[in-house]
Amino acid sequence: MTDSNSTRAYPDPWPAPLAAHPLDATVTIPGSKSLSNRYLILSTLGTRPVTLVGLLRSRDTDLMMGALKAFGVKCDVDPDDETTVTVIPPASGRFHGGETVYCGLAGTVMRFVPGLALHADAPVRFDGDAQAYKRPMKPLLDGLTQMGARVDYEGEEGFLPFTITPPQVIDSADSADSADSADSADSADSADSADSADSAAATELHVTIDSSGSSQFISGLLMAASRFPRPVAITHRGAHLPSLPHIRMTMADLQASGISVTMDATADGKPGDTVDATAGDSATAAVHAVTWHVTPGEVQLPSRVVVEPDLSNAAPFLGAALIAGGTVRVPNWPENTTQPGGLLPQYLRNFGADAQRSADGVMTVTSDGVASGGVHGLGDFDLSAAGEIAPSLAAIAVLAHGDTALHGIAHLRGHETNRLAALVAEITRIGGDAEELDDGIRIGSVPLASLHGAVMETYADHRMATFAAMIGLVVPGVEVTNVATTRKTIPDFPGMWNAMLAQHR
């Protein structure tokens, strides 16, 4: 990144600023990380350059571009605007192997990029931050193995680091070993082999994994299957399927790239209806099995794609209106979106806020604030469709009147950190009441005056840092360790936070 914010030094711990007045702020949110990294992958899978406008520039997207460069992809950054990036795939259409891809702690890099190795000309090694070694990978890698790849682990099975050998490389080695017997085959045998190959190409390959731990496993396989030499059916079998909207986002983006993807579900063993990729169902699939059918083809995004703002990253800022009171506006809010963060306005209304989108795309959230008693708990609340914003909603719940129990988010235990355990630890650290549930977290209501300042840990997790900053709006003495971890998705969160607080009534 060229933005000076990317290297700006912050105090550690960072003193979270109090909101001295009700807010009256407008905050422009950078591009969506989820869309940015999907567009980068799909641009790479194409054959012609794609210019991405409004691309998020953060650690995660920089790690993604670094990973793509290892595969021989060019990412040309506009010298006048670093958020405009042109992605140029290899002219041959074959990715370079023989390199190490560094994933950092980015789940989208860890789980989207390995699928590209199916189409590489040599084995590819994957590594990352030490904390990334704890993030599960096995369902994705099992899927790639079923698609013909070989995975060699350097440490614990199912975790980084590992090396993926592409199917073509394995097949080439096998062909070399059997060259003598192949030379002795007669023309009839060759014809039979050709017929067999044609039949195999037309037959759908069936891949089955348990994606209960992350929707990214399915998204990674869907994108990998888009250029596979035969149709692929990817089936999830497990107790639940988290964040179905993220999978729908991947499906919609693949369809925009010219690839046919359909989804059907089986609940309790009964066939379900085929579901349109862009339908608005926001709930976790309450099913035992879901199957996606991918018909591969030429992947090609339009030559110019504009990235929506990251609606999940808007959560701390819009949530600040409920905590401090006043109004916060976020421009460029899409009328329709595949982002799970699109559910945020309704969630804030459930807390008691007013949230309205204007005709020109400005989302405005207004509240009297927690001190007024107008923000109330959610009771038992299903957050399975948008678990990534759980820390922001948890911050509001800590300060609200009435209890909240967030359900359907057990998979947060496998994010950058165990977010459920981290939230409980930090809520109790400041005098709050919280406990883990099997599928989420319970947050009890306590008087605001009983909460106290503390040095709050972030666990190298950007959303735990923004959670602590939200608490610090009304709890004096909150300090946040390693606030720079927010660069994962927001280039200068402390600067944006202070600029918001400077806009008040």
Side-chain angles (χ1 to χ4, degrees):
M1 290 175 61
T2 59
D3 189 330
S4 61
N5 290 331
S6 65
T7 56
R8 180 175 298 172
Y10 305 119
D12 192 10
W14 175 72
L18 282 165
H21 308 278
L23 300 172
D24 187 9
T26 298
V27 181
T28 300
I29 304 297
S32 163
K33 181 193 75 170
S34 296
L35 287 171
S36 290
N37 276 346
R38 282 166 173 79
Y39 289 152
L40 285 167
I41 290 285
L42 293 172
S43 299
T44 293
L45 287 166
T47 58
R48 299 186 298 276
V50 175
T51 298
L52 304 175
V53 180
L55 189 79
L56 174 66
R57 297 304 308 275
S58 68
R59 187 182 188 227
D60 274 21
T61 51
D62 282 359
L63 284 165
M64 179 64 82
M65 287 192 283
L68 300 183
K69 290 174 184 176
F71 280 91
V73 178
K74 293 182 180 179
C75 296
D76 291 345
V77 179
D78 187 321
D80 297 322
D81 180 3
E82 68 166 0
T83 68
T84 297
V85 177
T86 299
V87 181
I88 306 172
S92 66
R94 190 83 180 272
F95 299 127
H96 300 170
E99 302 287 340
T100 293
V101 170
Y102 188 76
C103 304
L105 190 56
T108 48
V109 179
M110 294 165 59
R111 292 158 179 169
F112 292 176
V113 176
L116 299 181
L118 290 177
H119 314 290
D121 58 12
V124 182
R125 181 176 180 271
F126 291 82
D127 204 348
D129 294 355
Q131 195 158 347
Y133 289 14
K134 302 176 183 178
R135 301 195 70 177
M137 292 284 296
K138 194 170 190 302
L140 170 75
L141 300 174
D142 286 348
L144 295 179
T145 299
Q146 293 172 57
M147 295 172 76
R150 187 180 73 229
V151 181
D152 297 304
Y153 296 103
E154 296 179 26
E156 184 178 354
E157 182 177 346
F159 297 87
L160 287 167
F162 52 79
T163 296
I164 296 177
T165 300
Q168 298 92 329
V169 175
I170 297 172
D171 292 344
S172 296
D174 291 344
S175 297
D177 291 340
S178 59
D180 290 341
S181 60
D183 287 342
S184 66
D186 60 23
S187 60
D189 290 337
S190 297
D192 289 343
S193 296
D195 290 341
S196 176
D198 289 342
S199 176
T203 303
E204 194 173 51
L205 174 70
H206 290 269
V207 174
T208 301
I209 66 167
D210 181 352
S211 195
S212 299
S214 175
S215 65
Q216 291 175 346
F217 301 140
I218 295 295
S219 287
L221 291 174
L222 290 174
M223 289 187 282
S226 66
R227 269 185 44 179
F228 203 65
R230 57 193 280 202
V232 181
I234 301 167
T235 297
H236 156 73
R237 293 190 184 277
H240 64 280
L241 181 63
S243 196
L244 184 55
H246 273 121
I247 299 175
R248 292 191 186 281
M249 175 189 291
T250 304
M251 294 172 68
D253 293 340
L254 280 166
Q255 288 191 332
S257 305
I259 300 300
S260 172
V261 187
T262 59
M263 180 178 85
D264 55 67
T266 301
D268 298 320
K270 299 176 182 179
D273 295 332
T274 297
V275 183
D276 183 83
T278 56
D281 182 351
S282 61
T284 286
V287 296
H288 293 162
V290 188
T291 298
W292 293 263
H293 302 273
V294 182
T295 303
E298 181 180 344
V299 183
Q300 189 60 56
L301 280 171
S303 60
R304 184 178 184 273
V305 177
V306 178
V307 182
E308 295 175 3
D310 194 313
L311 306 186
S312 293
N313 277 345
F317 299 94
L318 292 178
L322 282 77
I323 295 173
T327 298
V328 176
R329 294 166 293 272
V330 171
N332 306 315
W333 197 277
E335 184 175 6
N336 298 293
T337 183
T338 57
Q339 294 188 61
L343 299 167
L344 175 64
Q346 183 55 53
Y347 294 161
L348 299 183
R349 293 184 196 108
N350 292 340
F351 275 112
D354 179 74
Q356 302 293 334
R357 179 188 180 275
S358 66
D360 59 351
V362 177
M363 179 59 66
T364 300
V365 173
T366 301
S367 170
D368 292 334
V370 295
S372 72
V375 178
H376 49 77
L378 299 178
D380 286 300
F381 194 81
D382 182 2
L383 191 59
S384 55
E388 65 184 23
I389 59 177
S392 294
L393 300 188
I396 300 170
V398 169
L399 304 166
H401 294 263
D403 297 348
T404 296
L406 301 176
H407 296 284
I409 52 174
H411 60 286
L412 297 190
R413 293 185 172 98
H415 277 220
E416 283 81 348
T417 187
N418 181 336
R419 282 185 180 158
L420 299 182
L423 284 168
V424 169
E426 298 313 304
I427 291 169
T428 56
R429 188 190 302 277
I430 60 170
D433 174 28
E435 66 175 344
E436 284 190 62
L437 306 173
D438 287 345
D439 69 338
I441 182 172
R442 182 197 63 80
I443 300 172
S445 176
V446 301
L448 181 58
S450 69
L451 300 176
H452 55 78
V455 176
M456 299 183 70
E457 297 295 331
T458 57
Y459 310 89
D461 186 333
H462 57 127
R463 300 205 191 276
M464 290 303 300
T466 56
F467 161 82
M470 293 174 73
I471 296 291
L473 289 171
V474 292
V475 177
V478 168
E479 296 181 282
V480 185
T481 64
N482 188 23
V483 75
T485 193
T486 53
R487 291 191 183 119
K488 178 180 174 66
T489 56
I490 303 178
D492 181 26
F493 171 76
M496 292 177 64
W497 198 248
N498 284 317
M500 176 187 69
L501 290 175
Q503 305 172 65
H504 55 76
R505 293 177 182 172

